[in-house]
Amino acid sequence: MEYAGFGGLIVLALNIWAIISIFSSSASTGSKVLWTLLVLVLPVIGFIIWLVAGPRGAAAAV
């Protein structure tokens, strides 16, 4: 699947946001690595799966 233009920028921004949120979560290191790989390998589908089932950020844990 190829992304171009504005849509590609949106996907990139959302994936960067997801990866930052993954690393700021309180999940174990193994979980962080697996979620990051999922988001990187499957950019759109991985992001959607992470959004629904992924580890929450430190702010959401309060």
Side-chain angles (χ1 to χ4, degrees):
M1 189 180 300
E2 184 175 327
Y3 305 104
F6 191 65
L9 272 172
I10 291 173
V11 170
L12 177 65
L14 290 174
N15 284 339
I16 290 172
W17 173 65
I19 291 170
I20 290 171
S21 295
I22 290 167
F23 282 111
S24 68
S25 74
S26 60
S28 67
T29 304
S31 294
K32 290 179 183 182
V33 170
L34 290 176
W35 279 113
T36 303
L37 286 174
L38 180 68
V39 170
L40 289 175
V41 172
L42 302 171
V44 176
I45 297 171
F47 173 77
I48 293 170
I49 294 170
W50 168 81
L51 193 60
V52 172
R56 302 292 179 229
V62 173

